[in-house]
Amino acid sequence: MNCKNCNNNTFYHIEKNYIKCKKCNKKYSLKKLATDSKIIKSFCDNINANECSRKLNVNYRTVKNRYDQLRLKLAKFLEEEYNKSIKDNSDYEEYYYFNTKQKQSKNKSLYEAINIIGFYFDEKVYTLLMPKLPKRNSENNEHFKEYLNWYKIHSKDSYKTRLKEFWLFLEDNLRKYKGFESDYFFYYLKECEFKFNYSKEEQIKILNKIF
């Protein structure tokens, strides 16, 4: 591991199962590091916070906080990766996401959907949240839905890319959550983007490095 404070990778072993950075003297608990490592593995294994808490015999709030921190870290990581990449936005597609409750509603409205645009380049999917559709009281929702499906923003060859696979992956992965606040949707979206783009081994390695 590297020190989170100074990025040094050499440590002293000190009493009570602690280590100390040789450069900046920051202390770390080996027990906490081991627990965090197990939580990261559970996160990458798609085990939810409640199951992880029971499996590791760790307080649920502790696990939930770690999961939230991991989502925040990986969102920043993905942003940095996007900024470093050679961008080729020639393959893109718009997507409307509905939660389970909205899907089951007889009066499902496109105005309630979360609007996402996905890009595919460098053999990876990148996503961007878009503003919700402006409500048009004068228009029939079903007709408007047909209109949007017909004129949905997408590149000519988007269907040939892995974007279609990603939307299915997103729906499947978000289905396991019984519910979350829409304000946090961005972080769950980025979690799916991260897990879609990287193998489980790569995910664990990256999160252990950045967490």
Side-chain angles (χ1 to χ4, degrees), residues 4 7 11 13 23 37 62 71 107 114 116 139 142 148 150 182 185-186 204 210:
K4 310 302 181 186
N7 208 37
F11 299 84
H13 282 270
K23 186 175 181 180
S37 182
T62 298
R71 292 186 179 105
N107 299 316
I114 295 176
I116 309 165
E139 293 198 39
E142 284 303 311
L148 286 175
W150 185 258
S182 58
F185 179 84
F186 170 80
I204 292 172
I210 66 176

Side-chain angles (χ1 to χ4, degrees):
M1 62 167 284
N2 287 5
C3 176
K4 310 302 181 186
N5 189 46
C6 68
N7 208 37
N8 176 52
N9 62 0
T10 53
F11 299 84
Y12 294 108
H13 282 270
I14 55 179
E15 60 180 350
K16 296 182 180 179
N17 209 29
Y18 279 79
I19 57 174
K20 183 168 70 172
C21 174
K22 288 186 176 181
K23 186 175 181 180
C24 70
N25 292 325
K26 182 175 175 63
K27 293 181 181 179
Y28 294 90
S29 163
L30 290 176
K31 182 180 179 181
K32 180 180 179 298
L33 290 173
T35 299
D36 285 347
S37 182
K38 291 175 184 177
I39 290 175
I40 285 173
K41 186 176 185 306
S42 293
F43 180 83
C44 296
D45 283 337
N46 290 322
I47 297 173
N48 65 38
N50 196 31
E51 292 178 58
C52 178
S53 172
R54 293 197 302 268
K55 178 183 174 183
L56 301 182
N57 195 26
V58 176
N59 181 273
Y60 169 78
R61 181 50 56 188
T62 298
V63 175
K64 178 65 167 59
N65 286 341
R66 294 289 191 282
Y67 272 34
D68 288 343
Q69 290 168 16
L70 287 170
R71 292 186 179 105
L72 178 62
K73 294 280 188 181
L74 68 85
K76 290 181 179 178
F77 167 80
L78 291 173
E79 183 180 6
E80 290 170 1
E81 290 298 294
Y82 175 78
N83 289 333
K84 289 190 298 186
S85 64
I86 300 173
K87 298 168 188 62
D88 172 12
N89 295 331
S90 58
D91 293 312
Y92 53 88
E93 184 177 15
E94 193 175 19
Y95 189 77
Y96 303 108
Y97 173 80
F98 293 94
N99 63 33
T100 303
K101 185 178 179 180
Q102 290 167 338
K103 288 174 185 173
Q104 294 171 347
S105 173
K106 292 181 180 178
N107 299 316
K108 181 173 67 174
S109 170
L110 273 174
Y111 306 115
E112 298 174 349
I114 295 176
N115 193 8
I116 309 165
I117 189 163
F119 301 93
Y120 184 77
F121 55 88
D122 291 346
E123 298 184 355
K124 287 184 173 65
V125 168
Y126 298 90
T127 59
L128 180 66
L129 279 182
M130 303 294 286
K132 284 194 172 184
L133 298 171
K135 196 161 187 177
R136 303 184 181 185
N137 294 322
S138 60
E139 293 198 39
N140 179 282
N141 186 60
E142 284 303 311
H143 291 167
F144 190 39
K145 181 178 178 180
E146 291 176 10
Y147 171 84
L148 286 175
N149 285 335
W150 185 258
Y151 291 101
K152 183 174 69 173
I153 299 171
H154 61 90
S155 58
K156 183 178 68 173
D157 296 326
S158 61
Y159 70 96
K160 296 179 181 179
T161 72
R162 297 190 68 202
L163 279 168
K164 185 176 181 179
E165 295 174 41
F166 175 73
W167 303 131
L168 294 174
F169 179 85
L170 177 71
E171 293 280 356
D172 187 54
N173 276 267
L174 293 184
R175 198 174 293 120
K176 67 186 177 184
Y177 299 109
K178 294 181 180 179
F180 49 82
E181 294 181 28
S182 58
D183 289 347
Y184 291 97
F185 179 84
F186 170 80
Y187 296 102
Y188 289 94
L189 172 65
K190 289 300 173 179
E191 176 186 345
C192 290
E193 181 184 321
F194 178 71
K195 290 180 175 178
F196 185 81
N197 286 336
Y198 297 94
S199 69
K200 190 181 297 183
E201 292 75 17
E202 289 173 325
Q203 293 169 33
I204 292 172
K205 184 177 179 181
I206 291 167
L207 290 177
N208 273 306
K209 183 177 180 181
I210 66 176
F211 186 63

